[in-house]
C-alpha cells in the first residue's frame, strides 16, 4: 500500500511516498532529476542523499549517508564524483565490525600513502587518520538523531 503526495516548491518538486515500512521524501527539478539546493533531495529511514540536478553533490559534508542497520556508510561526492580533500571520501562499517575507508580525489581512488603524500603537499602538514572512526560515528549519530 503506497500513498503519494506531490507539491511544487520554489522550482523543485517535493514528493512524499509512504508505505507500511517507512516514508520517502524526494525533491526533483523540472527534468524530474533528484535536486535540492538546501538539503537532501532523497531521504527515508535508511538513506539521506544530496543531489544537484541528478548527481550526488555536497560541498559541506557527505552526499550519501546510509543508515541501514547492518551496513552503515558515508560518501563524499562533488558533481557525481567521489571526492574529499581533508579525509576519506568513503567510510564504511559492515555488520558493526569491519570498518573501512577509501580516499578519493576527483573521482580517482588513492591508497592511504598516496592520499597522505597528496595531503602533505597541498596542506603542508601530515595527514592524521586517527580520528576517522570518531568522525564516522559522529556523522551517523547526527543523522540518526535527525531522523527521530
Amino acid at each position: 500500500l503506497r500513498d503519494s503526495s506531490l507539491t511544487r516548491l520554489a522550482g523543485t518538486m517535493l514528493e512524499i511516498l509512504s508505505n507500511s515500512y517507512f516514508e520517502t521524501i524526494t525533491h526533483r527539478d523540472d527534468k524530474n532529476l533528484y535536486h535540492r539546493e538546501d538539503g537532501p533531495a532523497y531521504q527515508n529511514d535508511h538513506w539521506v542523499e544530496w543531489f544537484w540536478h541528478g548527481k550526488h553533490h555536497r560541498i559541506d559534508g557527505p552526499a550519501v549517508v546510509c543508515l541501514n542497520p547492518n551496513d552503515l556508510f558515508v560518501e563524499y561526492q562533488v558533481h557525481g564524483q567521489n571526492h574529499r580533500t581533508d579525509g576519506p571520501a568513503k567510510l564504511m562499517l559492515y555488520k558493526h565490525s569491519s570498518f573501512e575507508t577509501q580516499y578519493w580525489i576527483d573521482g580517482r581512488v588513492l591508497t592511504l600513502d598516496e592520499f597522505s603524500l597528496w595531503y602533505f603537499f597541498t596542506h603542508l602538514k601530515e595527514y592524521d587518520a586517527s580520528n576517522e572512526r570518531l568522525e564516522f560515528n559522529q556523522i551517523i549519530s547526527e543523522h540518526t538523531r535527525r531522523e527521530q
Side-chain angles (χ1 to χ4, degrees):
L1 300 172
R2 185 172 240 185
D3 281 336
S4 179
S5 159
L6 224 50
T7 309
R8 185 160 293 284
L9 292 171
T12 65
M13 188 171 30
L14 169 66
E15 181 177 30
I16 300 173
L17 298 170
S18 296
N19 64 29
S20 58
Y21 300 107
F22 53 80
E23 182 176 84
T24 299
I25 300 170
T26 65
H27 297 257
R28 296 176 187 266
D29 63 12
D30 290 335
K31 295 180 181 175
N32 205 31
L33 300 171
Y34 290 124
H35 173 76
R36 187 172 175 199
E37 295 181 20
D38 60 350
Y42 182 93
Q43 187 170 2
N44 65 34
D45 290 348
H46 298 293
W47 293 91
V48 182
E49 299 180 67
W50 282 255
F51 285 88
W52 183 263
H53 300 290
K55 292 184 178 182
H56 282 113
H57 177 80
R58 188 173 179 204
I59 303 273
D60 61 349
V64 179
V65 178
C66 173
L67 302 169
N68 183 325
N70 291 321
D71 300 321
L72 303 168
F73 65 86
V74 171
E75 291 184 6
Y76 290 78
Q77 294 188 28
V78 176
H79 302 295
Q81 290 189 346
N82 294 318
H83 177 78
R84 187 171 178 210
T85 61
D86 60 350
K90 292 186 176 186
L91 300 97
M92 303 153 284
L93 179 64
Y94 299 107
K95 305 224 185 295
H96 298 285
S97 61
S98 174
F99 182 70
E100 296 179 23
T101 56
Q102 291 181 358
Y103 304 88
W104 293 75
I105 301 291
D106 295 326
R108 183 175 159 253
V109 67
L110 304 173
T111 66
L112 175 56
D113 288 341
E114 290 170 330
F115 179 79
S116 295
L117 188 61
W118 177 90
Y119 187 88
F120 180 78
F121 283 111
T122 57
H123 293 81
L124 299 178
K125 63 180 180 179
E126 304 252 340
Y127 176 69
D128 179 10
S130 65
N131 290 324
E132 292 175 350
R133 179 69 184 260
L134 177 61
E135 173 198 6
F136 174 79
N137 290 341
Q138 288 172 337
I139 292 168
I140 295 298
S141 177
E142 172 190 326
H143 283 84
T144 302
R145 279 195 309 273
R146 189 179 296 168
E147 296 300 310
Q148 296 173 351

